[in-house]
Amino acid sequence: MSTASKDRFKPVKSILVSQPKPSDVNSPYVQLAEKYKLKIDFRQFIKVEPVPPKEFRKQKIDILKHTAIIFTSRNAIDHFFAICKDFKIEMPAEMKYFCISDQTAHYLQKYIVIRKRKLFVGQKTAQDLFDYFKKHKNEKYLFPCSDIRKDDIPEFMEKQGISYTEAIIYHTVAADLSDLADVKYDILAFFSPSGIKSLKQNFPDFVQGKTRIAAFGPTTSQAVRDMGLILDIEAPMPNAPSMTGALELYIKKANNL
């Protein structure tokens, strides 16, 4: 659950989650706050900015020369179709789509009529799509993504010798957090290396002190360590597959519950 020593377990009263506030009134965070009488605030540490058409043109990518498109997020879908609109490109009926999850595939319907034989959907991770890529090795894949992205899909495509083009269609940048300069929380919860980078950019003189840091995923955990900070709470773990689960385990110990 934790890489922290015993003296890092101080009572927890407040948590800042570096994500948008959940729309669900019954979200696990709401339940956690009510159960342990916590103050839980939400604030995005990163934001996305579209790549302007002029900048995209410099990548010299012919979208319609591809036969399949890989989508790993709603942001990728929104910004990809914005580019298509700017360049007056319509998706041909025979285009195939590989989506990382059901939620992503469902969101795709905002822009196109989905034909089941042209849609391939993973459970949640990029690895879920690898078998599909193998079965469709002769496709020419387009991978719309951010300038900051995981290496798993490009590495797999190169290893398998599958044709793909990476199209940077939006930038992931640090949000302005200057209004939080004098606000203190017992725990800061992060979900990506970009969030950790944003903390450093916004607060270059940040001193962790008694503030506990929670990280979701191995790359986020490593980013915390690389910055020289103490990682107190890691998720997912076998006994805590979610961030809220990991937070609850820690809170029970820290608050002597």
Side-chain angles (χ1 to χ4, degrees):
M1 176 181 69
S2 170
T3 57
S5 58
K6 289 183 179 179
D7 61 0
R8 297 290 298 168
F9 288 92
K10 306 292 182 184
V12 176
K13 295 182 180 179
S14 62
I15 302 173
L16 179 62
V17 179
S18 60
Q19 285 188 331
K21 185 176 181 178
S23 56
D24 184 1
V25 294
N26 295 315
S27 84
Y29 288 105
V30 173
Q31 295 175 12
L32 191 69
E34 292 177 350
K35 186 175 181 179
Y36 297 102
K37 296 179 174 57
L38 305 169
K39 175 189 177 185
I40 301 183
D41 291 336
F42 299 86
R43 182 66 177 273
Q44 276 190 290
F45 274 46
I46 57 175
K47 61 180 181 178
V48 296
E49 295 180 345
V51 167
K54 186 176 181 181
E55 184 179 333
F56 179 78
R57 191 177 284 112
K58 292 178 182 178
Q59 297 181 55
K60 298 181 179 178
I61 294 172
D62 187 340
I63 291 174
L64 294 180
K65 280 192 175 181
H66 298 82
T67 60
I69 304 175
I70 304 166
F71 287 122
T72 57
S73 71
R74 292 184 179 188
N75 276 327
I77 292 173
D78 283 337
H79 292 291
F80 173 76
F81 283 99
I83 288 287
C84 289
K85 184 177 180 181
D86 287 330
F87 288 96
K88 296 181 172 60
I89 295 172
E90 288 190 17
M91 291 296 99
E94 62 271 20
M95 184 68 78
K96 294 179 181 177
Y97 301 92
F98 293 75
C99 296
I100 198 168
S101 67
D102 282 329
Q103 290 87 348
T104 307
H106 182 74
Y107 191 73
L108 182 59
Q109 295 180 71
K110 179 179 176 181
Y111 295 96
I112 62 167
V113 175
I114 291 179
R115 295 167 176 81
K116 287 187 178 180
R117 61 190 177 87
K118 302 293 183 183
L119 180 66
F120 307 89
V121 184
Q123 295 297 313
K124 195 173 183 181
T125 68
Q127 285 80 2
D128 298 331
L129 293 174
F130 289 174
D131 283 342
Y132 289 129
F133 295 155
K134 285 182 180 178
K135 291 176 183 176
H136 300 270
K137 289 193 71 168
N138 295 326
E139 303 294 342
K140 293 182 179 179
Y141 291 89
L142 182 66
F143 179 30
C145 59
S146 167
D147 54 330
I148 299 175
R149 52 103 180 110
K150 293 181 179 179
D151 297 328
D152 42 11
I153 289 177
E155 286 180 353
F156 178 82
M157 296 305 216
E158 289 172 14
K159 185 178 180 180
Q160 296 292 322
I162 299 174
S163 174
Y164 83 100
T165 304
E166 186 176 311
I168 297 174
I169 55 170
Y170 63 99
H171 296 300
T172 303
V173 300
D176 181 5
L177 306 174
S178 55
D179 57 306
L180 294 178
D182 298 320
V183 182
K184 303 296 181 184
Y185 290 89
D186 295 320
I187 296 177
L188 302 178
F190 293 96
F191 300 82
S192 71
S194 300
I196 303 296
K197 184 178 179 182
S198 175
L199 174 70
K200 186 67 173 177
Q201 288 184 6
N202 276 278
F203 310 109
D205 299 321
F206 175 76
V207 176
Q208 184 172 0
K210 295 180 181 179
T211 301
R212 271 61 56 84
I213 291 180
F216 190 89
T219 56
T220 310
S221 296
Q222 189 58 48
V224 172
R225 298 186 183 100
D226 289 345
M227 195 177 287
L229 300 172
I230 298 171
L231 178 60
D232 299 278
I233 305 160
E234 289 186 76
M237 299 293 275
N239 58 344
S242 65
M243 174 60 86
T244 49
L247 287 170
E248 183 167 16
L249 287 178
Y250 179 89
I251 291 164
K252 282 181 178 179
K253 186 171 183 178
N255 293 15
N256 292 314
L257 299 172

